[in-house]
């Protein structure tokens, strides 16, 4: 599928048949009521529907619109990643695959994949940059406890991009036995569509919950953007509602005036990476630049093609929160609401509170709290000590 000039399938010949098989299985599944019954039968296991919680202390602090949090942090395994992992494991079963591989950066997708592999009795191999193995240690322990093999990747910057490279290399040599459970709305068609189809339960629920609680649509929905899966899930069901602003928050790292950030939509240019045409952070001669973010899950030079199109079409806006602002968002939510967010989600907290402060008291802003911060408390306390 294409999203305007973005998307597509820029892959070696060897992958074309496997992607066609996956696309066929996916379109069959999403038009089969028994597939959705099977998926919705897992909602209790996943902790769906997730709560929509009014953050009154954060609202007071921002002194503007009423702020609501979509509690994807309370899902089983601690983030929105479980939504996609469950959907894709059901697809993998329909495809008769016995071996599952995945990439991970923050480790949340790795844990979600290891979890569904344990639950469905499949063999699980997770590729993770060695730098991320170091900074998301809790999740490495969890993946191993769940029976997955965690394979540290030592090429390149040893972060998410490098883990994806290794996962794709593995997949090409194990196509008949293996499903590559892609963790974000990236990669060649049909992956961005598959991941969006399993993540838009987020906006579907937000819409229902807002109508039940306050009887109006939100003025804006806000989500952090790494590869773009929690954001596209938060945006998608509001696409037909022009009154609802869609705001993505990218990782500004050390600042977009430096070379050390991951603000792909704000600072990048169109190009092809990991089989898909989208926005990329690339040097003048087209080399992918090494990114940085305090949060492993946003530390990626690409972004989902659907977001590239939403940006160019003007339907969505994308702002930037740098490391300092994300840490401020992390502390704000922790100290005002007693909720410790994932560092990735902390970018959306900071961005959402900023935006809310520009609106009136009778307005509503919903922020997707994509994950919990257990995995990050060690790193954050180090950062706070160093001042
Ligand atoms: C698939 C690689 C990304 C990972 N995580 C990304 C992430 C993100 C960003 O990923 P997207 O929603 O796909 O943009 C947001 N929030 C939390 C809690 C995350 O863990 C991971 O490996 O866990």
């Amino acid at each position: 599928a294409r999203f305007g000039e973005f998307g597509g399938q820029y892959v070696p010949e060897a992958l074309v048949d496997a992607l066609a098989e996956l696309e066929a299985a996916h379109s069959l599944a999403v038009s089969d009521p028994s597939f959705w019954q099977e998926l919705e039968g897992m909602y209790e296991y996943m902790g769906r529907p997730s709560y929509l919680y009014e953050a009154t202390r954060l609202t007071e602090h921002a002194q503007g619109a009423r702020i609501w949090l979509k509690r994807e942090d309370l899902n089983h395994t601690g983030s929105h990643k479980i939504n996609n992992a469950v959907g894709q494991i059901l697809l993998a079963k329909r495809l008769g695959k016995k071996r599952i591989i995945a990439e991970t950066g923050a480790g949340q997708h790795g844990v979600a994949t290891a979890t569904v592999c344990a639950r469905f009795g499949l063999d699980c191999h997770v590729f993770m940059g060695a730098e991320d193995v170091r900074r998301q240690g809790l999740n490495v322990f969890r993946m191993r406890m769940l029976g997955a093999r965690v394979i540290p990747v030592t090429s390149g910057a040893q972060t998410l991009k490098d883990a994806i490279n290794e996962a794709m290399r593995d997949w090409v040599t194990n196509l008949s036995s293996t499903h590559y459970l892609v963790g974000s709305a990236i990669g060649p068609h049909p992956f961005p569509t598959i991941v969006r189809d399993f993540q838009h339960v987020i906006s579907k629920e937000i819409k229902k919950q807002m109508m039940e609680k306050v009887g109006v649509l939100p003025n804006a929905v806000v989500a952090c953007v790494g590869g773009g899966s929690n954001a596209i899930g938060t945006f998608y069901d509001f696409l037909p509602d022009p009154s609802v602003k869609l705001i993505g928050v990218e990782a500004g790292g050390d600042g977009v005036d430096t070379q050390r950030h991951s603000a792909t939509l704000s600072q990048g240019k169109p190009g092809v990476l990991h089989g898909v045409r989208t926005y990329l952070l690339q040097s003048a001669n087209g080399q992918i630049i090494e990114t940085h973010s305090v949060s492993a899950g946003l530390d990626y030079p690409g972004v989902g093609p659907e977001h590239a199109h939403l940006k160019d079409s003007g339907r969505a806006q994308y702002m930037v929160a740098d490391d300092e602002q994300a840490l401020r968002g992390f502390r704000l939510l922790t100290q005002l609401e007693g909720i410790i967010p994932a560092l990735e989600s902390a970018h959306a907290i900071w961005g959402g509170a900023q935006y809310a402060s520009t609106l009136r008291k009778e307005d509503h802003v919903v922020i997707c709290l994509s994950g919990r911060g257990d995995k990050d408390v060690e790193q954050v306390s180090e950062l706070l000590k160093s001042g």
Side-chain angles (χ1 to χ4, degrees):
R2 302 202 67 86
F3 305 99
E5 63 165 281
F6 302 105
Q9 213 176 65
Y10 300 78
V11 296
E13 188 60 34
L15 275 181
V16 170
D17 290 349
L19 290 170
E21 182 194 38
L22 179 59
E23 180 179 9
H26 180 65
S27 41
L28 259 181
V30 291
S31 53
D32 174 356
S34 71
F35 175 82
W36 290 107
Q37 275 154 21
E38 192 180 8
L39 182 48
E40 283 156 22
M42 291 298 292
Y43 278 9
E44 263 186 16
Y45 179 78
M46 299 154 73
R48 299 222 73 86
S50 66
Y51 290 116
L52 186 67
Y53 163 73
E54 185 171 9
T56 52
R57 297 249 293 148
L58 185 62
T59 300
E60 271 164 48
H61 169 85
Q63 298 186 350
R66 291 167 67 178
I67 297 172
W68 302 78
L69 303 178
K70 183 60 174 162
R71 300 298 305 274
E72 296 299 297
D73 62 312
L74 293 180
N75 297 344
H76 181 40
T77 71
S79 85
H80 67 293
K81 295 294 180 185
I82 192 74
N83 305 330
N84 171 53
V86 169
Q88 284 204 47
I89 205 77
L90 297 182
L91 282 188
K93 267 178 45 187
R94 285 171 165 239
L95 283 162
K97 305 295 179 187
K98 299 285 176 242
R99 179 174 177 270
I100 301 293
I101 60 172
E103 83 288 358
T104 199
Q108 290 299 134
H109 176 58
V111 167
T113 304
T115 296
V116 295
C117 287
R119 173 68 181 66
F120 288 93
L122 298 176
D123 183 26
C124 181
H125 300 252
V126 180
F127 294 92
M128 186 174 198
E131 165 64 11
D132 292 336
V133 168
R134 188 191 60 72
R135 60 182 171 167
Q136 305 280 231
L138 175 65
N139 279 339
V140 177
F141 292 134
R142 293 169 78 198
M143 284 182 263
R144 289 184 169 141
M145 191 63 72
L146 287 157
R149 260 199 69 210
V150 177
I151 302 141
V153 172
T154 54
S155 50
Q158 309 189 16
T159 53
L160 181 55
K161 166 179 69 68
D162 314 293
I164 295 171
N165 290 341
E166 286 308 308
M168 285 194 164
R169 212 165 283 147
D170 177 293
W171 194 37
V172 164
T173 55
N174 297 287
L175 291 172
S176 55
S177 66
T178 300
H179 174 64
Y180 176 8
L181 210 158
V182 171
S184 187
I186 56 170
H189 177 68
F191 285 116
T193 302
I194 289 174
V195 176
R196 172 248 286 156
D197 284 353
F198 294 139
Q199 287 293 359
H200 84 88
V201 60
I202 297 173
S203 47
K204 188 170 162 227
E205 289 178 2
I206 293 171
K207 189 175 260 193
K208 182 167 180 286
Q209 289 164 319
M210 281 302 284
M211 293 314 284
E212 281 165 0
K213 288 171 184 286
V214 291
V216 292
L217 292 176
N219 300 74
V221 294
V222 184
C224 64
V225 182
S229 69
N230 91 90
I232 199 67
T234 304
F235 294 177
Y236 192 71
D237 281 39
F238 293 109
L239 287 179
D241 305 300
S243 68
V244 179
K245 269 175 86 79
L246 310 176
I247 300 173
V249 185
E250 291 193 292
D254 290 350
V256 290
D257 51 327
T258 73
Q259 282 289 315
R260 285 173 51 80
H261 62 78
S262 307
T264 307
L265 288 161
S266 316
Q267 305 290 319
K269 289 198 316 293
V272 174
L273 175 67
H274 295 145
V276 67
R277 181 168 164 70
T278 183
Y279 268 87
L280 295 183
L281 288 173
Q282 48 192 317
S283 66
N285 58 1
Q287 296 302 312
I288 302 294
I289 69 163
E290 269 188 31
T291 48
H292 162 75
S293 169
V294 69
S295 63
L298 302 184
D299 192 353
Y300 180 60
V303 70
E306 197 156 16
H307 285 292
H309 179 53
L310 288 175
K311 173 191 163 66
D312 277 13
S313 67
R315 178 65 186 91
Q317 276 75 43
Y318 297 87
M319 58 191 287
V320 176
D322 65 23
D323 285 357
E324 244 174 74
Q325 291 159 334
L327 283 167
R328 220 171 295 153
F330 184 97
R331 281 211 299 271
L332 264 184
L333 199 70
T334 303
Q335 291 164 3
L336 289 178
E337 297 284 347
I339 300 172
I340 302 178
L343 275 170
E344 292 80 10
S345 324
H347 289 73
I349 296 297
W350 186 83
Q354 280 293 309
Y355 183 70
S357 70
T358 69
L359 298 185
R360 303 160 309 164
K361 294 207 173 315
E362 58 275 14
D363 293 332
H364 301 274
V365 170
V366 178
I367 304 172
C368 182
L369 182 50
S370 53
R372 68 184 189 216
D374 305 50
K375 66 183 176 69
D376 298 315
V377 291
E378 202 177 341
Q379 190 190 349
V380 173
S381 50
E382 286 303 310
L383 287 169
L384 296 182
K385 247 189 265 167
S386 57

